Amino acid sequence: MKKLGHFLLPYVFGLVILAAWEGGVRMGDIPEYILPGPVAVLIALRTNFGELLVGLGVTLQVTVIALLLAAITGAGFAFLMAQSKLAERMLFPYAVILQVTPIVTVAPFIIIWVSNIFGVLLILAWMAAVFPIISNTLFGLKSVDINLRDMFRLYGATKTQTAMRLLIPSTLPHFLSGLRIAGGLSLIGAVVAEMVAGTSGEKSGLASRLLEASYRLELAKALACFALLGLTGLLIFTALDWLSRRLLRHWHESATDASQGGN
Amino acid sequence: MAEAILTLSGVSQTFPNGTQALATTNLSIAAGSFVSLVGPSGCGKSTLLRIASGLLPPSTGQVDRAFSAAPGDVGFVFQDATLMPWATVIANVRLPLEIAHTPAPDAQAKAMAALERVGLADVASSYPRELSGGMRMRASIARAIVTNPRMLLMDEPFAALDEFTRFKLNDDLLQLWQANRWTVLFVTHSVREAVFLSERIVVMSPRPGRIANDLTVQLPPTRDANLRLSHAFADESARVTNVLDQAMEHTP
């Protein structure tokens, strides 16, 4: 019974907040163009479900492809930098600049240089997502057990053998932790990119629909987009968390039973 | 005395920051012997071991081995078990063979045999984190002997274990060595462990690391756990401790 309560706690909390919101909106007689209640949002979600689903599809496509590209290029860059101190010294500051530059400020240039709008969105989402992967993978590559390295050297392992059997498995937990952060950032990047790039029409994503709806004071629809984006972010995180646990379950502290409070 | 399997001539080690880890050292190890390097921290015993393994090229001097330094001729046991946590115990033991492209069934059989020799056959498919510290160290020893090396280099392998586990592993290592007669170079800071296991003890002193004394252990060559309880063992331990203390006194 206590366990069930523990499990339900966040959901109950959410429902209480939603009920208070709905009650407040009704009792205060607040018009829908100022603040719609959750019921109105739900109705808007149902009415526009087809359109919003298409939008979600577009945003999700940008998010997932950008994340995959970030995973490949980020891990690649980190591997390159781990090969030599010189390469790291040369490249890492630029990785940091990439991270600290708000993508909103870069967007206008990318829009001028890249004609394909999907390409623009990809580039911007990639920019938002790639740094944690570079940074975490590099950290992982640098923290490979020095004695294990010696052992591989002692047995005359080739560079490929060392990479496949030591560096990659040893770095995997760090890479995955970077990937989990990058998943959320990729979605944020895709959303921000859509908003600055001002995509419109049939092939626009959920963020564009949100913007359109808010311009038209269809706040219920805008909030429905917002809710869908939030759920998508949660879904991406959950999926990446599952992947991480799945890949590390046999050996890494983060994925073993002990770290889950004995569940 | 048997033929020397390893000879260090005029070997010294100075690190790039200027620290002299090892002063000019000459050392010859007889084939099939069990030699311990004993001394306090900073006496260069680990450095000497790394030079012997070929992992660390000496700053000066020459290392001669009586065997081709092919991978697998030297087994190394680190202070930590140094197992790959993502691989099962048997996969860890197979690693040296797989690096050398040994066919899979052959590698599997040899790894299993090595695990049997250290008494770990029943946990072959467990992961290292599921094992106790003593068992992890056994797995590490199995990996070091799986290639049937000419020389076994051990760097304070039992330092992190409790005394009971340590005694048990000492007994088992002694048995393994008596059965196989690899040449063992064993680093420890425990005099009793060195006396119990070795035929010869090289006493080292720090600042800079150097050989202070070289003793032959005055105990019967065939030994077992009962030796630890004997007067002869206590006397011999006292003698070596004395020599070690003298070496310390002459340290600047």
Side-chain angles (χ1 to χ4, degrees):
Chain A
M1 214 37 224
K2 206 175 166 188
K3 219 167 177 178
L4 186 71
H6 195 76
F7 174 77
L8 287 176
L9 194 62
Y11 302 98
V12 171
F13 176 73
L15 281 177
V16 168
I17 295 289
L18 287 177
W21 175 8
E22 183 69 35
V25 167
R26 277 172 197 239
M27 280 196 290
D29 219 5
I30 300 170
E32 212 173 274
Y33 58 85
I34 300 284
L35 179 66
V39 173
V41 173
L42 239 118
I43 292 168
L45 182 65
R46 213 182 58 186
T47 330
N48 302 291
F49 196 66
E51 181 201 338
L52 294 188
L53 212 59
V54 173
L56 179 65
V58 173
T59 304
L60 206 57
Q61 207 181 352
V62 173
T63 305
V64 170
I65 297 177
L67 182 63
L68 282 177
L69 286 177
I72 296 164
T73 53
F77 264 120
F79 212 78
L80 210 67
M81 283 190 244
Q83 295 309 303
S84 85
K85 274 257 170 272
L86 222 61
E88 187 190 345
R89 173 97 191 98
M90 189 170 81
L91 294 174
F92 198 73
Y94 296 99
V96 175
I97 290 172
L98 195 67
Q99 160 74 358
V100 297
T101 310
I103 59 170
V104 182
T105 61
V106 194
F109 303 104
I110 308 288
I111 291 168
I112 292 169
W113 295 329
V114 181
S115 54
N116 182 319
I117 193 72
F118 191 74
V120 172
L121 299 183
L122 270 187
I123 290 173
L124 293 173
W126 172 84
M127 278 184 67
V130 76
F131 183 76
I133 296 180
I134 296 180
S135 166
N136 279 34
T137 310
L138 187 60
F139 179 80
L141 284 167
K142 284 173 153 186
S143 27
V144 173
D145 187 305
I146 192 91
N147 287 336
L148 276 175
R149 273 183 190 276
D150 274 349
M151 200 194 66
F152 273 74
R153 209 148 62 84
L154 189 73
Y155 288 113
T158 61
K159 264 193 181 291
T160 318
Q161 283 175 327
T162 309
M164 297 305 291
R165 288 166 172 275
L166 177 62
L167 301 185
I168 290 176
S170 172
T171 305
L172 193 63
H174 301 276
F175 167 79
L176 288 171
S177 130
L179 193 68
R180 277 191 304 187
I181 301 168
L185 288 177
S186 182
L187 178 65
I188 293 171
V191 166
V192 173
E194 270 179 41
M195 288 189 162
V196 257
T199 52
S200 59
E202 273 300 294
K203 288 202 170 159
S204 63
L206 205 53
S208 317
R209 309 283 160 130
L210 193 157
L211 221 49
E212 275 169 28
S214 72
Y215 288 153
R216 295 188 198 136
L217 293 182
E218 295 170 351
L219 278 205
K221 186 178 167 191
L223 277 171
C225 296
F226 176 83
L228 273 182
L229 284 172
L231 279 177
T232 308
L234 208 60
L235 190 79
I236 291 173
F237 182 84
T238 311
L240 292 174
D241 194 55
W242 176 84
L243 179 76
S244 174
R245 282 182 189 284
R246 175 106 197 132
L247 289 175
L248 304 178
R249 69 195 149 146
H250 282 309
W251 67 278
H252 201 257
E253 307 293 344
S254 71
T256 55
D257 293 341
S259 72
Q260 294 171 43
N263 283 342
Chain B
M1 191 160 141
E3 186 194 346
I5 191 168
L6 178 81
T7 309
L8 309 183
S9 331
V11 162
S12 78
Q13 187 67 45
T14 308
F15 287 116
N17 63 13
T19 323
Q20 194 178 23
L22 192 64
T24 308
T25 299
N26 297 298
L27 180 68
S28 181
I29 306 292
S33 62
F34 197 120
V35 181
S36 284
L37 300 174
V38 182
S41 321
C43 70
K45 48 194 196 301
S46 289
T47 304
L48 191 63
L49 203 68
R50 283 172 59 82
I51 291 174
S53 73
L55 280 170
L56 183 69
S59 305
T60 65
Q62 197 176 327
V63 181
D64 293 303
R65 294 182 184 83
F67 52 90
S68 70
D73 271 350
V74 174
F76 202 105
V77 180
F78 297 89
Q79 184 169 351
D80 300 313
T82 311
L83 301 169
M84 302 177 292
W86 53 85
T88 58
V89 169
I90 194 154
N92 267 286
V93 176
R94 267 198 324 253
L95 184 84
L97 302 172
E98 286 174 352
I99 288 176
H101 301 291
T102 309
D106 195 17
Q108 178 74 10
K110 281 183 174 162
M112 202 60 204
L115 282 173
E116 268 160 19
R117 270 148 95 184
V118 299
L120 282 189
D122 49 342
V123 292
S125 43
S126 301
Y127 284 83
R129 68 177 178 87
E130 298 164 331
L131 268 52
S132 69
M135 287 161 99
R136 279 202 280 266
M137 194 42 82
R138 284 173 190 277
S140 186
I141 293 172
R143 180 181 58 198
I145 64 175
V146 77
T147 55
N148 200 16
R150 300 288 303 272
M151 261 185 94
L152 197 52
L153 306 176
M154 308 180 88
D155 191 3
E156 299 190 36
F158 309 138
L161 303 177
D162 64 80
E163 201 169 52
F164 299 107
T165 312
R166 186 178 190 154
F167 281 173
K168 185 78 182 79
L169 278 160
N170 281 175
D171 296 346
D172 292 352
L173 177 63
L174 192 66
Q175 269 189 15
L176 272 174
W177 174 69
Q178 285 174 352
N180 298 280
R181 289 280 163 171
W182 308 292
T183 310
V184 182
L185 197 52
F186 187 93
V187 167
T188 176
H189 52 235
S190 158
V191 168
R192 289 166 58 86
E193 186 172 63
V195 170
F196 181 72
L197 290 169
S198 333
E199 298 175 307
R200 177 181 165 200
I201 296 177
V202 175
V203 178
M204 299 187 69
S205 66
R207 283 182 297 276
R210 64 191 185 282
I211 294 176
N213 217 319
D214 198 333
L215 310 165
T216 304
V217 176
Q218 311 282 350
L219 289 171
T222 312
R223 307 172 190 175
D224 58 32
N226 292 325
L227 177 74
R228 229 181 253 115
L229 308 169
S230 70
H231 285 297
F233 176 72
D235 292 347
E236 190 62 10
S237 297
R239 183 174 78 97
V240 176
T241 305
N242 230 337
V243 173
L244 193 62
D245 287 346
Q246 277 170 23
M248 290 295 90
E249 273 168 29
H250 295 137
T251 300

